[in-house]
Structures are given as structure tokens and as C-alpha cells.
């Protein structure tokens, strides 16, 4: 694995020997190798001919895209970029295989979480609103931003969530809004009030439609999922680093992995419950109906047999 660092002096022209001396407290240089904490790395140093900068090329002695090498590169980078020895220098990371390694690993976990979250949302909102799920749950602001991208509006009901940015998911689930407009509430209440025996509980439920609540609070509160807006904000921050190939450390990877795997597992369990409760219910009903039908048919057949037996006895 490789690390490339570019050095600029803050106050004067940069010098290779001075740079080596300033960083001698961090590592020992011996020909084409440097030694840090009893670990040796391949090393090359180059000064630009037409500009005032120096580049360190550092690589692990053993090849391989693995965790050990990623941590070795990360450790030497931290040692060089942190401390008083660098006070006179600007240090720019121009390439870092350790960060790439952890970004690659995290992207797989993030992708699985997003796909699981999308499945969970689809199953829940369509179960409640069916073909009106877009109209009833997606804000005009989010829908407008998607249409500005030139989406196929005829297919929007089929793949709207695929158009979501991660920030859209956060706003979609946790921004508070009224479920019904004031006009809808007034008109519906009028219909209920003019009835001969108005249903007070029904009217209360209608009025509750004007209370500002998030979609999460309206539809997902019954699920055994502890998902906070702050969780998604943390994931969004990590996701942005990963998807835009920014600096991403092993500690960031480990904390993101822990949160993502926990939430993904919880969502997967609820998806299993939804499938069993909402979709397998029809299968169970069919099985009961079939069993009842067969039993009834058997009863009729038995009744006919006894009737025929009775007739035979009479004769």
C-alpha cells in the first residue's frame, strides 16, 4: 500500500535535508527506507524542479490490500501530520491507500443499509397508502427537486425512493408536517358533524391530522426500531466521506460499521415481521379456508354415506 505526501514550507524555499532533519524525531531514514516504531517502509523523496515543494512516497514492504497494511500506512501518516515537528510545513495528502481501503469496506456496508432502509419504507408506506403513497408521504419540496433532475414522472410511483439523496431520507422520515391540510380537515369534519349521530372519536382523529408530526412518528412508532435522526446524520457524514473518497480513518470505519450493522439487523428483523404479519396472513387464511372446505366436503360425504346406509337398512 502507498502513501504520498506533499510538503510546502510556510515561510521560505523548502529544502530536502532540512525537511529530513525536522522530521528526524518521527522516523529514521536509511537509504530507501524509513523506520517508524520498529517497522520499516519503502521510501522515496523527490523535490519538484519548477515549484517549491517536496513529495514523500511511502509504501509498505509487503504488498497486499489488507487490514495490516492499511493500519501501517495510517499510523505513519498520523505520525508525520501530527506534532510540533510539522509546525513550519503545510502537508497535503495527495494519495492514501489506507483511506481508500476503509472507504471501499464501508461502501459495501452503507449500500446494504440503504437498500434495507428503502425496502422497509416501501413495505410500510405502501401498506398504508397503496397507490397514493407518493402523494401522501413525499413533500412537494423533495418531489420538486427530483423533477428538476428530469425523472420519468410516469414511473415515479414505482421508484421514487431510488431518486432520494441520503439527506432526502432524513427529511422524509423526520421533518414534521401536517398529514392533512386545514381545508381537508374542515370539509371532512363537516361531513361527520351533520350526521344524525356524529362520532366524537372520529372527529378527534380527523382533527389530529392537523398536528405536525414526522412520518416516522406517524407510521413507524409501532416497530421495535430505535432509529433517531441523529443516527442518520452520523451515517450521512460518513457516507459523504466514503462516496466522495475523502480521508476516512480506521476509527471512523469501525464506529460507522458498528452503527450501520446494528441498524441494518434491526430493519431486517422488522422486514421479516412485516412479511409474516402482512403478507403471509393471506396464506394462512387460505390454508384455513382450504382446511375448512375439505372438512366440510368430508362431512357432506360422510352424511351421504350414512343417509345411504340408513336407506339400505329400511329396505
Amino acid at each position: 500500500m502507498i502513501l504520498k505526501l506533499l510538503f510546502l514550507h510556510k515561510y521560505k524555499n523548502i529544502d530536502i535535508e532540512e525537511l529530513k532533519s525536522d522530521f528526524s524525531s518521527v522516523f529514521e531514514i536509511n537509504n530507501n527506507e524509513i523506520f517508524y516504531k520498529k517497522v520499516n517502509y519503502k521510501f522515496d523523496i523527490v523535490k519538484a524542479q519548477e515549484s517549491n515543494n517536496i513529495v514523500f512516497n511511502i509504501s509498505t514492504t509487503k504488498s497486499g490490500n489488507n487490514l495490516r497494511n492499511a493500519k501501517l500506512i495510517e499510523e505513519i501518516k498520523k505520525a508525520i501530520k501530527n506534532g510540533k515537528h510539522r509546525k513550519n510545513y503545510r502537508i497535503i495528502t495527495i494519495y492514501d491507500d489506507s483511506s481508500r481501503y476503509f472507504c471501499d469496506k464501508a461502501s459495501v456496508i452503507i449500500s446494504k443499509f440503504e437498500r434495507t432502509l428503502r425496502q422497509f419504507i416501501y413495505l410500510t408506506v405502501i401498506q398504508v397508502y397503496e397507490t397514493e403513497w407518493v402523494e401522501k408521504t413525499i413533500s412537494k419540496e423533495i418531489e420538486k427537486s427530483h423533477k428538476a433532475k428530469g425523472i420519468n414522472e410516469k414511473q415515479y410511483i414505482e421508484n421514487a425512493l431510488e431518486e432520494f439523496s441520503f439527506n432526502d431520507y432524513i427529511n422524509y422520515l423526520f421533518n414534521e408536517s401536517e398529514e392533512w391540510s386545514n381545508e381537508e380537515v374542515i370539509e371532512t369534519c363537516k361531513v361527520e358533524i351533520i350526521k344524525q349521530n356524529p362520532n366524537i372519536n372520529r372527529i378527534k382523529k380527523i382533527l389530529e391530522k392537523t398536528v405536525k408530526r414526522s412520518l416516522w412518528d406517524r407510521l413507524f412508532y409501532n416497530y421495535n426500531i430505535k432509529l433517531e435522526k441523529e443516527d442518520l446524520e452520523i451515517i450521512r457524514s460518513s457516507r459523504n466521506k466514503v462516496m466522495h473518497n475523502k480521508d476516512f480513518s480506521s476509527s471512523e470505519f469501525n464506529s460507522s460499521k458498528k452503527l450501520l450493522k446494528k441498524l441494518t439487523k434491526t430493519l431486517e428483523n422488522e422486514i421479516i415481521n412485516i412479511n409474516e404479519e402482512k403478507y403471509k396472513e393471506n396464506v394462512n387464511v387460505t390454508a384455513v379456508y382450504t382446511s375448512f372446505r375439505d372438512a366440510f366436503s368430508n362431512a357432506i360425504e360422510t352424511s351421504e354415506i350414512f343417509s345411504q346406509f340408513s336407506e339400505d337398512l329400511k329396505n
Side-chain angles (χ1 to χ4, degrees):
M1 283 190 171
I2 300 170
L3 173 67
K4 294 184 179 182
L5 300 174
L6 185 147
F7 293 77
L8 298 167
H9 203 287
K10 292 181 181 179
Y11 310 110
K12 62 181 183 179
N13 289 338
I14 197 164
D15 179 76
I16 288 180
E17 294 306 317
E18 183 181 5
L19 180 62
K20 288 180 179 180
S21 176
D22 289 341
F23 283 81
S24 60
S25 61
V26 180
F27 50 75
E28 178 187 348
I29 300 175
N30 185 6
N31 295 324
N32 293 326
E33 288 187 322
I34 60 173
F35 296 83
Y36 171 70
K37 288 186 175 181
K38 298 181 179 179
V39 176
N40 62 314
Y41 299 78
K42 295 178 183 178
F43 175 72
D44 181 41
I45 185 169
V46 180
K47 188 176 188 302
Q49 294 182 1
E50 298 181 0
S51 57
N52 188 37
N53 65 74
I54 289 174
V55 174
F56 276 11
N57 294 304
I58 302 170
S59 61
T60 54
T61 55
K62 293 183 179 180
S63 61
N65 186 52
N66 53 55
L67 180 61
R68 180 183 180 277
N69 281 342
K71 286 192 172 183
L72 288 176
I73 290 293
E74 182 179 58
E75 286 173 6
I76 190 68
K77 182 179 76 171
K78 284 182 179 179
I80 292 172
K81 297 192 73 171
N82 298 315
K84 293 181 180 179
H85 52 268
R86 62 148 301 165
K87 64 181 181 179
N88 294 324
Y89 298 92
R90 302 291 184 191
I91 305 175
I92 301 167
T93 303
I94 57 177
Y95 187 82
D96 177 10
D97 259 336
S98 68
S99 184
R100 176 200 55 76
Y101 175 86
F102 291 117
C103 281
D104 288 349
K105 294 292 183 182
S107 66
V108 176
I109 304 170
I110 291 169
S111 176
K112 183 176 181 180
F113 170 74
E114 285 192 42
R115 290 178 183 276
T116 306
L117 177 63
R118 185 192 305 162
Q119 180 185 179
F120 174 67
I121 293 172
Y122 271 138
L123 288 173
T124 302
V125 298
I126 295 176
Q127 187 70 29
V128 176
Y129 296 113
E130 296 184 337
T131 57
E132 294 183 321
W133 79 271
V134 168
E135 177 186 348
K136 295 292 186 181
T137 69
I138 297 181
S139 69
K140 297 300 180 184
E141 290 76 15
I142 291 178
E143 188 172 354
K144 183 178 179 182
S145 70
H146 294 168
K147 288 181 178 178
K149 299 176 185 176
I151 61 167
N152 187 330
E153 294 186 29
K154 291 181 180 179
Q155 294 182 349
Y156 192 56
I157 190 174
E158 299 178 13
N159 57 19
L161 294 185
E162 293 181 22
E163 302 296 333
F164 272 39
S165 66
F166 203 83
N167 196 52
D168 284 340
Y169 280 114
I170 297 173
N171 293 333
Y172 176 71
L173 292 173
F174 292 104
N175 278 4
E176 294 184 344
S177 62
E178 303 92 345
E179 188 173 356
W180 289 6
S181 67
N182 290 335
E183 290 77 12
E184 287 178 294
V185 170
I186 291 170
E187 292 303 317
T188 309
C189 280
K190 282 181 180 179
V191 172
E192 191 65 36
I193 290 170
I194 62 176
K195 291 180 180 179
Q196 188 172 359
N197 295 307
N199 187 323
I200 300 301
N201 289 330
R202 166 68 177 156
I203 293 172
K204 284 182 179 179
K205 288 183 178 180
I206 294 169
L207 293 173
E208 287 175 359
K209 301 292 186 181
T210 61
V211 177
K212 284 190 173 184
R213 290 192 298 168
S214 68
L215 185 67
W216 186 264
D217 289 337
R218 288 210 308 264
L219 297 186
F220 301 92
Y221 63 92
N222 277 331
Y223 292 113
N224 187 28
I225 298 177
K226 188 179 180 182
L227 177 66
E228 306 290 342
K229 183 178 181 180
E230 290 73 21
D231 292 330
L232 294 186
E233 291 286 4
I234 291 170
I235 293 171
R236 184 177 71 89
S237 176
S238 297
R239 181 185 183 277
N240 284 345
K241 287 185 176 184
V242 169
M243 298 307 172
H244 294 287
N245 298 298
K246 296 182 179 181
D247 187 42
F248 197 64
S249 67
S250 60
S251 60
E252 287 177 301
F253 168 74
N254 289 331
S255 60
S256 298
K257 176 183 176 181
K258 182 178 179 181
L259 177 60
L260 285 161
K261 289 209 164 189
K262 181 187 75 172
L263 292 176
T264 301
K265 182 64 176 177
T266 305
L267 289 170
E268 286 175 336
N269 289 338
E270 289 304 319
I271 287 169
I272 291 171
N273 292 336
I274 291 171
N275 287 332
E276 288 180 349
E277 293 176 12
K278 304 297 184 183
Y279 293 94
K280 289 189 177 180
E281 182 180 7
N282 293 333
V283 175
N284 293 336
V285 169
T286 302
V288 170
Y289 168 76
T290 302
S291 177
F292 177 78
R293 181 195 61 194
D294 293 343
F296 187 69
S297 298
N298 291 337
I300 292 175
E301 290 176 6
T302 303
S303 176
E304 289 175 348
I305 291 170
F306 275 108
S307 296
Q308 184 61 46
F309 181 67
S310 178
E311 289 296 323
D312 291 343
L313 287 175
K314 289 178 182 180
N315 295 331

